[in-house]
Amino acid sequence: MRITVIGCGYLGAVHAACMAQLGHEVLGIDVDQAKIDALAAGQAPFYEPGLPELLAEASATGRLRFSTDMADAADYDAHFIAVGTPQKKGENAADLRFVDAAVTELARHLKPGAVVIGKSTVPVGTARRLAELVKAAQPSAELAWNPEFLREGFAVEDTLRPDRLVYGLPTGDGGIKAKQTLDEVYTVALGNGTPLVATDYETAELVKVSANAFLATKISFINAIAEVCEATGADVTQLADAIGFDTRIGRRFLNAGLGFGGGCLPKDIRAFMARAGELGADQALTFLREVDAINLRRRSRAVDLTREILDGSLAGKRVAVLGLAFKPDSDDIRDSPALDVAGQLQMQGAEVIATDPKAIPNARRQYPELTFMESTPAAIAGADAVVLLTEWKEYRALDPAATGELVRGKAILDGRNVLDPAAWRAAGWRYRALGRP
Ligand code: UDX
């Protein structure tokens, strides 16, 4: 198929490359010239495992091209909207400026029979409103909403082999036509038996935000239990293992620690609450306020614990921060708990030396006052305390004895519960973690 992907960020760039890999002819469009130049040169503008290889392969086939000009979309059949829906400044609601601008501009160039497919995470009701906009510009065009569930760090895998497909479709013949187009786009995944839920716009929009709200709730649930563990001397990691054996509960997304961040979960639960309020259903989602609060409390707890392992004062202490990205295998620092904690430590008087395998350039832009070191040993050298905030593989594999040779004080905070407390304590470290004795 001939398809465009409008918005080439974490979601769109991966989607464009994967669609080309699957055999479609793809045009990626973005307003950011630098991003488009990088992608056109086969370079990924952010870190995502597997994406550089995929871009190289797809570009070599000639099936993947990029442009900053929406007019170039005119002779394509299907158009994916993959622009961002960030949180509005000073409000919980989602900022739909980019989605609205993309669809409005695209609508001017749609050819008869084209299908616009929304992928961005939007408040329920958006698709129906945008469908009217599309119809007004091109009556024979259709709009579908096809939410995306990819995880950063696994984005290529999740796009090529999604665990489900959801289509939000208009009623009548328009819906049949839009579904045919989507089925053709996803021939490979459907052929592999990927489950498909074909439904209306509102359900499709709500599937996405509900999934993220559930995941956020699961993480905050275990982090709330971690607070109780801290008050009693219990161990939340063993507790999570034990409850996770119940298949109704499941062990995944029960890792207690610094909590969730990133460009999706935090802003999506806030936008969901805001939208429910507009719909008069705010009571239904007040629990998400608590989910958010538990999550943010973990960050201050990490700062307090760092102060504790430094004998009650951060002032003038050198703290090595391991990890800045919101999760491993990503350079994304949007709402990153790690970066937030690093900033708070510095603000409260510590001298922060921070490192991360991929996120330093992004982190430096946001917190230029922190000191950054590329190498882990250099960041750790002479530290009074080491705090592990993003569980990159190389930090999980740190050797307590060798690390002990580098530091000034053997104090460590395991903000992600990934180290072996016994091994660190045996090597003479003062070890603290969230939700563990
Ligand atoms: C999430 C959803 O998983 C994905 O389906 C959706 O499309 C976008 O949002 P992503 O933001 O890439 O994906 O990250 P995810 O792997 O879900 O992790 C989110 C945050 O939760 C990270 O900060 C992670 O460190 C944290 N987390 C995750 C925990 O604290 N504990 C866990 O057990 C799991």
Side-chain angles (χ1 to χ4, degrees):
M1 292 207 76
R2 287 173 56 73
I3 66 182
T4 73
V5 178
I6 295 155
C8 292
Y10 286 96
L11 160 61
V14 174
H15 192 69
C18 289
M19 291 299 111
Q21 171 79 4
L22 292 171
H24 301 302
E25 195 169 314
V26 182
L27 177 69
I29 298 181
D30 200 290
V31 292
D32 183 340
Q33 185 73 53
K35 206 177 270 177
I36 288 301
D37 290 344
L39 286 165
Q43 289 156 8
F46 49 84
Y47 178 72
E48 181 61 45
L51 181 59
E53 296 79 0
L54 197 65
L55 280 173
E57 276 175 42
S59 305
T61 63
R63 287 196 302 265
L64 179 60
R65 292 181 307 114
F66 293 94
S67 168
T68 52
D69 188 355
M70 192 71 91
D72 292 342
D75 63 336
Y76 284 76
D77 308 309
H79 307 272
F80 284 93
I81 305 297
V83 295
T85 49
Q87 188 176 340
K88 271 188 190 163
K89 292 239 180 321
E91 276 182 58
N92 273 347
D95 186 346
L96 294 179
R97 244 182 312 169
F98 306 110
V99 173
D100 287 349
V103 175
T104 306
E105 175 66 6
L106 172 68
R108 295 176 44 219
H109 302 286
L110 288 174
K111 70 175 185 186
V115 179
V116 180
I117 305 161
K119 276 225 159 280
S120 310
T121 303
V122 292
V124 57
T126 306
R128 198 162 293 281
R129 176 171 65 76
L130 294 176
E132 281 174 21
L133 205 150
V134 164
K135 282 278 178 203
Q138 177 52 266
S140 67
E142 299 297 339
L143 178 125
W145 216 263
N146 168 225
E148 178 57 55
F149 304 101
L150 67 79
R151 299 159 298 166
E152 286 179 27
F154 301 90
V156 172
E157 175 65 20
D158 286 352
T159 306
L160 291 174
R161 278 170 283 279
D163 51 16
R164 80 285 213 189
L165 290 165
V166 176
Y167 302 168
L169 301 167
T171 45
D173 289 348
I176 294 168
K177 180 170 178 298
K179 181 173 183 298
Q180 275 167 357
T181 301
L182 279 157
D183 284 349
E184 212 174 322
V185 169
Y186 293 122
T187 306
V188 174
L190 291 170
N192 291 336
T194 306
L196 165 66
V197 179
T199 180
D200 53 82
Y201 290 145
E202 287 75 14
T203 306
E205 291 168 319
L206 281 172
V207 165
K208 169 68 194 202
V209 284
S210 309
N212 277 355
F214 189 86
L215 294 172
T217 304
K218 201 168 177 189
I219 299 169
S220 276
F221 171 81
I222 200 65
N223 281 332
I225 301 298
E227 292 188 5
V228 182
C229 287
E230 282 161 16
T232 57
D235 185 328
V236 75
T237 62
Q238 291 183 343
L239 181 149
D241 289 343
I243 63 172
F245 283 122
D246 184 330
T247 50
R248 292 170 304 173
I249 296 173
R251 180 62 180 80
R252 294 179 73 192
F253 264 69
L254 278 186
N255 294 323
L258 255 194
F260 59 83
C264 294
L265 300 192
K267 64 111 176 148
D268 286 352
I269 60 168
R270 292 171 197 151
F272 198 11
M273 281 186 273
R275 186 64 184 133
E278 287 167 8
L279 294 165
D282 42 349
Q283 265 194 331
L285 297 187
T286 45
F287 75 96
L288 288 178
R289 213 182 298 156
E290 206 49 49
V291 166
D292 202 7
I294 293 164
N295 191 52
L296 296 176
R297 265 205 310 270
R298 294 286 76 191
R299 302 179 187 187
S300 5
R301 175 70 180 157
V303 175
D304 291 345
L305 278 177
T306 309
R307 188 183 297 105
E308 215 175 288
I309 55 173
L310 285 167
D311 295 322
S313 171
L314 290 167
K317 301 284 172 56
R318 195 178 163 109
V319 177
V321 163
L322 307 184
L324 295 162
F326 86 102
K327 70 177 202 180
D329 295 313
S330 170
D331 66 355
D332 195 346
I333 54 148
R334 285 176 295 171
D335 210 333
S336 166
L339 188 55
D340 197 2
V341 169
Q344 286 187 43
L345 289 170
Q346 172 97 355
M347 219 144 56
Q348 296 190 28
E351 180 200 0
V352 170
I353 316 291
T355 188
D356 187 283
K358 297 289 172 193
I360 291 178
N362 286 340
R364 183 179 276 130
R365 272 192 288 279
Q366 189 165 326
Y367 275 104
E369 62 276 25
L370 302 179
T371 303
F372 298 97
M373 297 263 182
E374 297 284 340
S375 102
T376 309
I380 290 173
D384 296 301
V386 176
V387 298
L388 191 165
L389 301 181
T390 312
E391 69 277 32
W392 287 89
K393 207 165 157 200
E394 62 183 87
Y395 305 151
R396 307 170 77 122
L398 280 178
D399 175 56
T403 310
E405 301 285 313
L406 300 171
V407 296
R408 188 155 63 193
K410 285 190 182 181
I412 186 154
L413 172 71
D414 179 4
R416 292 290 179 181
N417 286 317
V418 289
L419 303 175
D420 175 4
W424 284 79
R425 287 188 176 127
W429 286 79
R430 181 187 284 191
Y431 171 96
R432 289 307 304 269
L434 295 147
R436 268 173 152 178

